[in-house]
Amino acid sequence: MIDSDYELLDNIIKRYDGIEGSLIQLLLDLNSELHWLSKDVIWHLSQRIGIPRSQIFRVASFYKAISLTPVGRHRISVCMGTACQVRGAERLLDTTESRLGIIPGQTTKDRNFTLNRVNCLGCCAIGPVMVVDDDYHGRMNSKRTEKILNALGAE
Ligand code: FES
């Protein structure tokens, strides 16, 4: 971690200073800012709030919303539900994989992108669907995928 990361970490920890039972919210806030919690972050947190690392790891690993592995600045999810597959989701995934050089579950070396495949997102009518960070993109095709990835600085 760099100095500014420690500063950010300390500022978030201060929000919950003295608030009983706030570990989960604290971890969620940290995850939201840092995108994932490294061993260094957990070690520092443990030192600052006086809760054993093992306990923090246990809580963090229980919640799917908290990541203990690196996650890119941009999270891309391609829906591979049946309706999206029928409408070309496989091509979208191929385009994204080859453009980023990663497969689902991986993060690019520059930590810019994490790619995932997901099941039905509940908006089949606009399939195939891709979620980029928190934005849903419907009726996707390879050309639009390239455009989005370019806008986000994919190499
Ligand atoms: S199958 Fe993709 S949104 Fe339902």
Side-chain angles (χ1 to χ4, degrees):
M1 289 203 315
I2 54 175
D3 287 349
S4 60
D5 287 341
Y6 286 111
E7 200 176 308
L8 175 69
L9 199 52
D10 288 339
N11 284 335
I12 295 171
I13 291 168
K14 272 186 212 154
R15 288 180 200 161
Y16 298 96
D17 202 16
I19 301 176
E20 197 70 24
S22 57
L23 179 60
I24 296 165
Q25 194 53 53
L26 175 53
L27 292 174
L28 288 169
D29 282 11
L30 287 170
N31 193 80
S32 164
E33 288 289 337
L34 304 169
H35 305 295
W36 73 290
L37 306 182
S38 66
K39 283 181 182 168
D40 283 351
V41 167
I42 296 208
W43 188 87
H44 185 74
L45 182 61
S46 170
Q47 295 292 307
R48 291 293 317 277
I49 64 176
I51 293 178
R53 278 176 287 171
S54 58
Q55 189 179 336
I56 296 174
F57 270 115
R58 213 172 23 252
V59 172
S61 57
F62 183 78
Y63 291 93
K64 208 172 175 188
I66 298 169
S67 179
L68 295 171
T69 53
V71 175
R73 278 178 284 284
H74 299 292
R75 292 155 283 117
I76 298 180
S77 300
V78 178
C79 178
M80 297 306 286
T82 307
C84 285
Q85 282 204 43
V86 167
R87 293 176 174 160
E90 201 68 56
R91 272 195 310 280
L92 285 188
L93 189 60
D94 285 348
T95 301
T96 312
E97 284 178 352
S98 58
R99 183 64 197 277
L100 298 177
I102 54 175
I103 59 172
Q106 292 183 332
T107 296
T108 54
K109 282 196 179 92
D110 60 8
R111 296 257 174 93
N112 255 343
F113 297 94
T114 295
L115 176 62
N116 282 303
R117 48 187 296 158
V118 293
N119 291 323
C120 181
L121 294 161
C123 46
C124 310
I126 60 165
V129 179
M130 174 183 269
V131 183
V132 180
D133 298 326
D134 294 323
D135 297 327
Y136 283 62
H137 299 269
R139 299 191 177 88
M140 287 297 291
N141 55 40
S142 294
K143 198 172 172 187
R144 290 188 63 208
T145 302
E146 290 280 0
K147 205 170 165 185
I148 288 171
L149 294 176
N150 286 341
L152 295 175
E155 293 179 6

